[in-house]
């Protein structure tokens, strides 16, 4: 794996929230990501980047407990996540990991208020609803509306707001910006930055808007072909764009196993 | 007007019970996405436990290993009996979820229907084995002295029941509207992933709902038993009005479900009154026809009825494999069958013949369910139509042998097309509901009508003769029964139909059917006429079922409604699925598994186990739905493919393409790559 900076760590020092060691995950026994070592600490925003099919979503689903891991270890908030699928995801959620999947998994037949009520995860301290709504003033007037009738941007905000209501210690977001206007994406990412700084929540996000994601993130991992090919502080990666381009556009330069360690 | 008002109010009693049943169905659908076809059977178990407690003071335990019954007291007070029975009902609901529906959470829609039907058959078999098929008598629970209402005398209990149902509807509505549990259940009904990610256990939610549903249906059964005479068969089929009520409530609204149930009960009572005063109405079956009418209207005109669910993973039904070496295997099987017919004697030969005819019914399901993915729970209705048509054509009109059964099968095919037209708007579970209701309605309205079919006696079917050959089962003298000639006749029919079905799978229309099954919109986008493809499948399937109906007529030399009952349809779905509903070989295996077929005749003669056939097929169906969606034939096929790939390429590793969702298509690819020289 390429490491842009030997002292890669961004603003480490906080409690380590997520550790994967040699994680291999996939679907129906067929692996899609291999041998991942990922670490996220409290207060960090970490971007997971990579071309389509690189295994970003697979990684998130495995960490959140929706997919069984095939090999390696995952530790979320200090506790190992078992390999059995049954009943895993909801336990991970109760431990304090909030996962907003692609499409946000809203309940379209329920109202915005009902969706938010479901955000109070059993066994977790509740965030103040008013406080969270202050962050998303647009939702304030939509509380009685069915979630299915919201616009795309409003749905993303609702998804994020609902996730925040359980006071997550680790927030995992899969393409929250999907289909949103660039300006909105920027706003969403900046509010994530604020959340991480203000509450010490660790945030892992998958994002296709690479430069915007790097602007908000502390660190980034780059996946290609199911393997980590690059890792480093966001500023470094943003500055050395040619490295990113290589991992997005072809593995020819790196070969199967990525560039040699420097 | 008053003369009609009284029976309408009388109908409030059964209407209230339908409302409770319907609410139970809605509950379990919301909790786990399963349409609980076993709701009537579950209620029946509880009611029998209650009735036994009240009459003999014995507690019957259906758990193997424990004493089958415990004598509690000579006189069990009502309240104690009620509490014990409802606790049993709660447990039954919970166990049904854990053992049957939880393993099916990620299964295909077909497997879920099949699992529910399996539970229904198992419970039915259990009650018949334990209590016999006698009618249940339960002393009245609610006071039934008449009360004067609108100038009429109405038994009090009907009013109480209706009030109870309405209160319950309001209570359930409030529970799901306002409580955290209700909110989470509603959310999980829409998006299972979403609710899991918010820290709720989907299993716990579903288990609680199933427990509640068990109590609801148990209470409904206990309340219903004193109102009418109930035997296990009618009890189990109470699922039809229950589904009608649930459909009116769109499988999500309790208020509408309760209103629908009450209305259904009142309409049934009203039509009985009407029957007595209007001479041209059929004498029987109108009461049972009402729920079908309601279901047909709601399903066919209502468009998308069942709210869809965002399941985490929904497995698709298994892909029918490409048949191989069709002629060779047909030759071998025909030779085997013929040898069997000559070697076997008496009851064994009769059993082989019964298996052959049953294989025909299974083949009709292979076309409709296996190839096109349409679930029919009323296949024997088509067989019955052909059977009675054969009697009328042969015995009545005098049409000669090879023509009469073919014409009869064509009439069944027409009936299939007639069912197929409304079914174009309906798919999956909705179609299963509609066909079940249709089968009940046809059985009650047509098959049981003595004017049309001869009632219990049935109607005579002429003996089949061709070019001087006597193909009948008994011949002129009954000494030779069952004759080999009839067996060969059945064997030839099965071989021809089997060849036809195998070739259908390989033909263009067969591929179109598979495309429609996989994804109707994608198929339409690829230029396939989805409606026409489905209609053709309905027609072919009903034609084959019709052939089976005619063969059943020849098998017994007469046709009567008992051969074509709804339960017969359900057990055929069971054996076809256990055998393997996506291929011809599965249908042949299915044929061996029927009650009077070869396997259980052997088991009966050797070990006296024949009476367990229904129970075994019910349990087998549940297991197959969860573990082998391709049935025995599929399991044999994949075992064989694995063996061959091991033999052919001993050095290479066999890639498991996801043992969990190993579909036929993948296996086909595997097999092809295994067969090609490396």
């Amino acid at each position: 794996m390429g490491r842009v900076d030997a002292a890669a760590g961004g603003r480490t020092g906080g409690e380590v929230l997520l550790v994967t060691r040699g994680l291999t995950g996939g679907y129906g026994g067929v692996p899609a990501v291999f041998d991942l070592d990922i670490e996220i600490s409290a207060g960090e925003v970490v971007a997971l980047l990579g071309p389509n099919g690189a295994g970003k979503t697979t990684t998130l689903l495995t960490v959140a407990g929706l997919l069984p891991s095939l090999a390696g270890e995952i530790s979320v908030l200090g506790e190992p996540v078992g390999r059995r699928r049954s009943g895993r995801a909801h336990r991970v959620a109760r431990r304090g990991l909030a996962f907003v999947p692609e499409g946000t998994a809203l309940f379209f037949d329920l109202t915005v208020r009902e969706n938010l009520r479901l955000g109070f995860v059993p066994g977790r301290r509740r965030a103040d609803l008013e406080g969270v709504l202050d962050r998303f003033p647009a939702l304030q007037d939509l509380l009685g509306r069915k979630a299915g009738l919201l616009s795309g941007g409003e749905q993303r905000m609702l998804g994020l707001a609902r996730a925040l209501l359980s006071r997550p210690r680790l927030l995992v977001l899969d393409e929250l910006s999907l289909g949103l206007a660039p300006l909105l994406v920027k706003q969403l990412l900046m509010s994530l930055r604020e959340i991480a700084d203000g509450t010490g929540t660790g945030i892992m996000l998958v994002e296709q808007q690479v430069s915007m994601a790097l602007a908000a993130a502390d660190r980034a991992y780059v996946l290609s072909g199911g393997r980590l090919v690059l890792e480093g502080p966001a500023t470094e990666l943003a500055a050395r764009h040619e490295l990113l381009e290589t991992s997005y556009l072809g593995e020819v330069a790196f070969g199967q196993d990525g560039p040699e360690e420097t | 007007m008053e003369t009609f008002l009284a029976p309408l109010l009388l109908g409030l009693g059964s209407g209230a019970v339908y409302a409770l049943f319907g609410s139970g169905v809605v509950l379990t659908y919301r909790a786990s996405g399963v349409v609980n076809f076993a709701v009537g059977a579950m209620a029946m178990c509880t009611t029998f436990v209650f009735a036994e407690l009240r009459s003999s003071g014995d507690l019957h335990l259906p758990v193997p290993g424990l004493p089958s019954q415990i004598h509690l007291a000579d006189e069990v007070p009502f309240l104690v009996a009620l509490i014990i029975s409802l606790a049993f009902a709660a447990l039954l609901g919970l166990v049904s979820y854990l053992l049957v529906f939880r393993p099916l959470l990620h299964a295909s829609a077909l497997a879920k229907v099949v699992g529910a039907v399996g539970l229904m058959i198992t419970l039915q078999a259990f009650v018949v084995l334990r209590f016999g098929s006698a009618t249940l008598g339960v002393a009245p629970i609610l006071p039934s002295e008449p009360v004067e209402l609108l100038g009429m005398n109405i038994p009090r209990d009907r009013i109480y029941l209706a009030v109870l149902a309405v209160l319950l509807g309001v209570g359930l509505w409030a529970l799901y509207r306002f409580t955290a549990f209700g909110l989470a259940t509603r959310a999980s009904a829409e998006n299972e992933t979403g609710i899991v990610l918010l820290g709720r256990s989907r299993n716990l939610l579903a288990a609680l709902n199933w427990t509640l549903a068990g109590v609801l249906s148990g209470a409904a059964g206990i309340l219903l038993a004193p109102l009418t005479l109930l035997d296990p068969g009618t009890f189990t089929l109470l699922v039809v009005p229950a589904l009608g009520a649930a459909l009116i409530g769109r499988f999500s609204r309790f208020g509408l479900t309760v209103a629908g149930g009450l209305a259904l009960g009142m309409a049934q009572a009203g039509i009985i009154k009407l029957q007595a005063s209007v001479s041209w109405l059929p004498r029987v079956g109108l009461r049972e026809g009402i729920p079908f009418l309601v279901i047909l209207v709601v399903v066919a005109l209502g468009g998308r009825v069942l709210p869809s669910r965002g399941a985490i993973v929904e497995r698709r039904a298994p892909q029918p494999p490409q048949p191989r070496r069709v002629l060779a295997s047909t030759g071998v099987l025909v030779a085997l069958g013929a040898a069997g017919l000559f070697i076997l004697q008496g009851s064994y030969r009769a059993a082989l013949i019964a298996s052959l005819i049953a294989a025909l019914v299974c083949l009709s399901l292979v076309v409709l369910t296996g190839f096109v993915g349409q679930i029919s729970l009323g296949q024997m209705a088509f067989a019955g139509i052909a059977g009675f048509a054969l009697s009328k054509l042969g015995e009545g009109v005098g049409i000669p042998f090879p023509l009469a059964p073919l014409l009869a099968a064509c009439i069944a095919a027409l009936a299939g097309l007639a069912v197929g037209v409304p079914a174009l708007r309906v798919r999956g579970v909705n179609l299963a509901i509609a066909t079940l209701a249709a089968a009940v309605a046809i059985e009650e309205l047509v098959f049981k009508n003595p004017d049309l079919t001869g009632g219990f006696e049935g109607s005579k079917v002429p003996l089949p003769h061709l070019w001087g050959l006597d193909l009948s089962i008994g011949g002129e003298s009954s000494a030779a029964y069952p004759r080999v000639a009839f067996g060969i006749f059945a064997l030839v029919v099965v071989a021809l139909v089997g060849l036809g079905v195998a070739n259908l799978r390989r033909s263009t229309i067969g591929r179109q059917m598979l495309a429609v099954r996989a994804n109707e919109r994608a198929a339409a986008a690829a230029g396939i006429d989805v409606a026409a493809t489905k209609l053709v499948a309905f027609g072919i399937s009903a034609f084959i079922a019709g052939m089976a109906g005619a063969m059943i007529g020849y098998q017994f030399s007469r046709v009567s409604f008992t051969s074509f009952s709804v339960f017969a349809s359900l057990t055929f779905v069971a054996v076809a699925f256990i055998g393997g509903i996506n291929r011809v070989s599965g249908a042949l295996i299915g044929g061996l598994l029927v009650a009077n077929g070869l396997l259980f005749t052997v088991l009966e003669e050797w070990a006296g186990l024949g009476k367990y056939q229904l129970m075994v097929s019910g349990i087998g169906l549940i297991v197959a739905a969860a573990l082998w969606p391709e049935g025995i034939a599929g399991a044999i096929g994949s075992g064989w493919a694995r063996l061959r790939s091991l033999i052919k390429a001993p050095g290479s590793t066999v890639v498991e393409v996801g043992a969990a969702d190993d579909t036929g298509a993948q296996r086909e690819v595997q097999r092809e790559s295994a067969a090609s020289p490396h």
Side-chain angles (χ1 to χ4, degrees), chain A residues 28 89 94 108-109 114 118, chain B residues 177 186 190 196 198-200 658:
Chain A
R94 287 183 189 194
F108 292 135
D109 287 343
E114 284 173 326
L118 286 163
Chain B
R177 186 83 184 74
R186 279 194 292 148
E190 191 194 322
V196 168
L198 295 174
R200 271 74 165 191

Side-chain angles (χ1 to χ4, degrees), chain B residues 249-521:
Chain B
R250 312 229 125 203
F251 274 87
S252 57
R253 292 174 195 281
F254 291 106
L256 276 175
T257 304
V258 169
L262 289 174
L264 262 177
M266 290 167 76
Q268 283 190 332
I271 201 90
I272 286 181
K273 177 77 186 162
L274 212 60
Q275 220 165 9
S277 49
V278 181
S279 59
W280 51 265
L281 281 172
R283 278 194 287 150
V284 291
L286 274 181
R287 189 185 143 83
E288 285 73 17
I290 295 269
F292 167 64
L293 207 66
V294 168
I295 287 173
L296 191 72
V297 169
V298 177
V299 164
L301 304 181
R304 195 186 76 135
V305 175
L306 265 67
S308 62
R309 294 169 69 84
I312 290 179
V313 191
E314 179 146 307
R315 231 183 287 162
R316 280 205 252 124
Q319 171 95 358
Q322 183 80 265
R324 279 155 198 286
R325 301 208 184 89
V326 172
L327 281 175
S329 42
T330 309
V332 171
L333 288 172
V334 165
L336 264 176
L341 286 169
F342 278 107
I343 294 165
L344 296 175
Q345 300 285 336
S347 60
Y348 289 113
R349 188 187 288 160
L352 179 56
I353 291 171
S355 281
L356 284 171
I357 294 172
L360 271 182
V361 182
C362 295
L363 280 170
S364 79
L365 287 168
V366 167
V367 173
L368 192 61
T369 309
F371 291 178
V372 202
Q374 307 294 307
I375 309 168
S376 164
L377 298 182
Q379 207 64 2
M380 289 312 280
F382 299 127
I385 287 170
F388 290 114
L390 173 65
S391 167
K392 293 263 183 286
L393 290 172
E395 202 72 2
V397 188
I399 294 173
F401 163 62
L403 219 55
L406 285 174
L407 260 179
C410 286
I411 292 173
L414 283 180
L417 290 179
V419 171
V421 171
L424 292 179
R425 295 177 56 92
V426 188
R427 52 188 62 82
V429 187
N430 290 330
L431 184 63
I433 295 172
T435 51
L436 179 68
V440 172
I442 291 178
E443 182 181 349
E444 299 291 341
L445 270 168
V446 182
F447 296 169
K448 282 193 182 169
N449 188 338
D451 302 341
L452 294 174
T453 64
F456 270 105
E457 272 289 289
S459 11
K460 242 174 98 63
V461 170
L463 302 179
H465 285 272
L466 188 62
W467 303 312
L469 276 172
D470 180 5
L471 298 177
S472 68
I473 191 161
E476 305 303 338
S477 69
S478 58
Y481 178 94
R483 295 177 62 242
V484 174
F486 179 72
I488 298 291
F489 168 36
L491 183 64
V492 168
V493 172
V494 173
L496 289 178
V497 172
L499 273 176
V501 173
N503 277 320
L504 179 68
R505 165 65 182 84
R506 300 196 288 187
S507 68
T508 307
I509 180 104
R511 279 193 294 277
Q512 288 174 345
M513 287 176 174
L514 296 199
V516 168
R517 195 195 66 126
N519 187 332
E520 287 184 20
R521 283 184 196 162

Side-chain angles (χ1 to χ4, degrees), chain B residues 32-267:
Chain B
S32 55
V34 173
V35 173
N36 185 11
F37 285 94
V39 67
M42 287 169 77
M44 169 178 65
C45 286
T46 306
T47 312
F48 270 92
V49 166
F50 177 80
E52 275 303 313
L53 271 174
R54 289 290 278 162
S55 64
S56 67
D58 290 340
L59 175 61
H60 283 257
L61 292 172
V63 189
L66 290 180
S68 67
Q69 59 201 68
I70 301 169
H71 188 68
L72 291 183
D74 291 333
E75 196 74 11
V76 179
F78 166 74
L79 211 59
V80 176
L82 183 71
I83 289 170
I84 293 177
S85 311
L86 290 185
F88 171 83
L91 202 65
L92 184 62
L94 182 64
V95 168
S96 303
Y97 169 68
L98 291 179
L99 292 187
V100 182
F101 298 110
R102 195 186 148 187
L104 293 176
L105 271 181
H106 309 295
S108 64
L110 170 65
K112 285 180 177 170
V113 170
V114 161
V117 171
L119 180 64
M120 173 176 171
I121 293 175
T122 309
L123 293 177
Q124 158 93 4
F126 166 70
V127 166
V128 171
L129 280 175
R130 177 60 63 88
F131 301 102
S133 46
T135 304
L136 188 68
V138 171
I141 296 165
L142 298 169
S144 59
E145 315 84 78
V147 62
E148 176 119 345
L149 198 74
L150 302 171
M152 287 161 304
N153 284 328
I154 303 296
R156 242 171 245 271
D157 53 355
R158 312 299 155 101
I159 310 294
Y160 291 151
L161 277 170
V163 171
L164 192 70
V166 170
L167 285 180
L168 213 95
V170 172
L172 285 172
W173 171 79
L175 178 68
Y176 285 87
R177 186 83 184 74
F178 298 116
T179 66
F181 163 72
L183 182 61
T185 302
R186 279 194 292 148
S188 77
E190 191 194 322
N191 189 330
E192 290 178 354
T193 318
I195 201 67
V196 168
L197 289 177
L198 295 174
R200 271 74 165 191
S201 163
R202 198 172 29 132
N203 261 324
L204 185 65
L205 278 176
L208 285 173
N209 278 294
W210 271 93
T211 309
L212 190 56
V215 173
L216 264 184
S217 55
I222 292 172
L223 288 172
L224 177 67
L227 293 189
T228 42
L229 293 172
L230 287 171
D231 59 85
T234 46
F235 224 129
T236 300
L237 288 180
L238 281 175
V239 64
V240 174
L243 290 173
L247 276 173
I248 292 173
R250 312 229 125 203
F251 274 87
S252 57
R253 292 174 195 281
F254 291 106
L256 276 175
T257 304
V258 169
L262 289 174
L264 262 177
M266 290 167 76

Side-chain angles (χ1 to χ4, degrees), chain A residues 101-238:
Chain A
E102 197 179 320
T104 59
L106 292 180
F107 306 111
F108 292 135
D109 287 343
L110 305 185
T111 62
V112 170
R113 180 175 294 141
E114 284 173 326
N115 268 284
L116 288 171
R117 257 175 73 195
L118 286 163
F120 296 125
V121 171
R124 289 208 57 75
R125 281 196 306 144
R126 299 169 161 212
D128 174 28
L129 182 60
E130 294 307 313
V132 170
L133 282 178
D134 281 347
R135 210 181 275 284
F136 307 100
L139 293 178
Q140 202 64 266
D141 306 327
L142 302 170
L143 288 175
R145 190 173 292 185
K146 285 201 171 176
L149 300 176
L150 300 186
S151 74
E154 289 161 348
Q155 289 184 2
R156 300 300 188 285
M157 282 181 216
L158 177 55
L160 186 55
R162 192 178 67 179
L164 292 176
L165 283 172
S166 64
R167 295 195 180 202
R169 297 170 61 199
L170 179 59
L171 186 57
V172 178
L173 309 161
D174 193 0
E175 300 217 25
L176 195 64
S177 69
L178 196 75
L180 294 189
L183 202 65
L184 255 166
V185 178
K186 212 165 203 171
Q187 281 175 10
L188 265 179
L189 288 169
M190 284 310 130
S191 59
L192 289 177
R193 180 75 261 172
E194 282 169 34
I195 291 164
D197 292 341
T199 63
T201 306
I203 297 177
M204 171 150 81
L205 53 93
V206 160
E207 189 50 74
Q208 287 294 358
Q209 312 279 352
V210 174
S211 50
M212 285 193 216
L214 289 177
D218 299 304
R219 287 189 302 123
Y221 292 95
V222 182
L223 276 170
S224 179
R227 293 175 197 278
L228 278 180
V229 291
L230 210 55
E231 161 186 2
T235 45
E236 296 278 334
L237 282 172

